[in-house]
Amino acid sequence: MDGLSTIIETIVQEEVMQHKESFRYREAIIGYASAQDPLYAKLSDILKTKQLHPNEILPTAKTVVVYFIPYSLSIIQKIQGKNVIVQEWSDNYTITNALLERIGCRLRAKLQDRGIRAEHEPPTCNFDPIELTTKWSHKASAVIAGIGTFGLNHLIITPSGTAGRLGSIIIDADIPPTQRPETSYCLYYKTGKCKVCVEKCPTGALTETTFDRFRCNAYLDGKNIHDLQQGCAMCSSGPCAAKGFC
Amino acid sequence: MSTYTDIEHEKALSETLYWENKQLTDKKAFFAYAQYQYALKDYIEAVAWYKKAADEQYIPAIYQLAYCMRYSLGISSDCKIEERLFQTVLAHDDGGYETAVKYRLGMSYTYGFGTQIDEVKGLAYFNQAKEEQPQAIYELGLYYKSGKGGVKADKKTAETYFREAYDRHCEQAIFELFAMFEGNFEDFAYVREIKEAYSFKLGQLMRVAELRPCKEYFTRLADLYQQGYPGDTNENLGKFARLAQKYLQKAAGALV
């Protein structure tokens, strides 16, 4: 179904590059995972929280399409070297949520026109507010779909870096899976050096061995309480912000 | 317990939207806006609005202004002025059955704000205010923790009060519960809560230090980093000690 992947990639890239504020983004990275990839059956154990199998969202699921939208270098440069959030970064979060939702809806509609069923989870706010876990991890799907690898920062690092956002859609058509990278894109996992993300984390939530999501979330609750600003960005603004280490 | 930080976050966001579209035209609005800033730990901004309301002889604002002076929150301490302000509050705080008035009276008699300390009276006022004032519940916890005002020290009762105060969003209560705890951190019943409360406070202090870089806010941030995270690893404690130094240096370099 080469034609199908072309349709999907055209829609995603069009939405990103023809966005009215396209200066915010670089070219999207798109990957495909088989809904029957054995990793999906193991995810709950790996992530230590119940994860939905693609078939639980769409019983006839065959492929999971994942797209990563990297932030532009100009946006990344605004946050790099700083210890404070900048408005542009915060705006990117909000604007990209809308973009991801639009991409999901447009893909779904286009595929349905071709008789293909599709389901997608929202880009955010699909988590349990008490346990701060989600039943559908865009990040895990990104790894399975070969888009990137997990970094020490507990985010996905792609060839275009870690500063960006992920979306995914589950469809009941076959597309050949993307080959997964053989080594990590994280400089620390590759060389044992770097740890910039750990050093920059203002709460100590991120360490060499753990990530305490409760510490991170509570800090953001306090930090972003007034200015309608989103995020913190310290862990995604290190050397891997704009490129992965292949 | 818990979900406290998310609820406080949502509350502050909705208040932000409210105040963005609100004209501040009278002493009650000045005071309410100051309370909102105080809750965000922007004490300098809070004091500016307490002063405006206090200029119009609004008693709750005069009390808060004196309280901020006493504890150097957004304004320098001045014993004479704060004593005079507290005395004004005591002379005119005649809100009858309002629990906020009872709470203020409880504080005045407990800590000697503008009067002689009288812990029996202080305790009585906090008991009258506790249904509506979580801070009064917290103060009752302190009474039972140390045994004063005629009550015997009673750790369990103190803990019960602190838990109730924290459930009703009195931030200091969880820190007090933790301070009373003896044993391994992992055995503390509210590990998640204390971690979240610390992080939340850290986030708030970081926000105001970025928003209004000044000696007071950098120092407060340095103090919290210096205090360290409850039950933290040596790696993080070392990092926090470095961050404390960094913010102390910033405080030293700040003009105000």
Side-chain angles (χ1 to χ4, degrees), chain A residues 83-85 129-132 198-204 206-208 212 214-228, chain B residues 3 5-6 8-9 12-13 16-17 36 40 192 195-196 199-200 202-204 206-207 210-211 225 229 232 235-236 239-240 242-243 246:
Chain A
N83 287 322
V84 299
I85 194 76
I130 304 296
E131 288 305 317
L132 306 181
V198 169
E199 191 54 36
K200 286 183 82 172
C201 175
T203 67
L206 185 64
T207 70
E208 226 172 313
D212 187 331
F214 300 114
R215 274 169 85 150
C216 177
N217 181 67
Y219 174 81
L220 293 175
D221 277 344
K223 174 80 164 52
N224 301 334
I225 208 160
H226 174 69
D227 307 301
L228 295 173
Chain B
T3 69
T5 66
D6 282 335
E8 287 297 296
H9 176 69
L13 280 182
T16 298
L17 295 174
Y36 154 71
L40 296 181
R192 178 174 164 184
K195 286 199 298 186
E196 287 182 334
S199 278
F200 185 71
L202 185 63
Q204 285 187 308
M206 187 69 82
R207 186 189 79 81
E210 288 176 7
L211 196 67
Y225 271 129
Y229 213 97
D232 217 344
E235 179 192 353
N236 267 340
K239 175 175 151 180
F240 276 25
R242 289 195 299 278
L243 286 167
K246 173 184 150 184

Side-chain angles (χ1 to χ4, degrees), chain B residues 28 47 53 144 215 252:
Chain B
K28 285 191 176 178
V47 162
Y144 280 91
K215 195 181 290 283

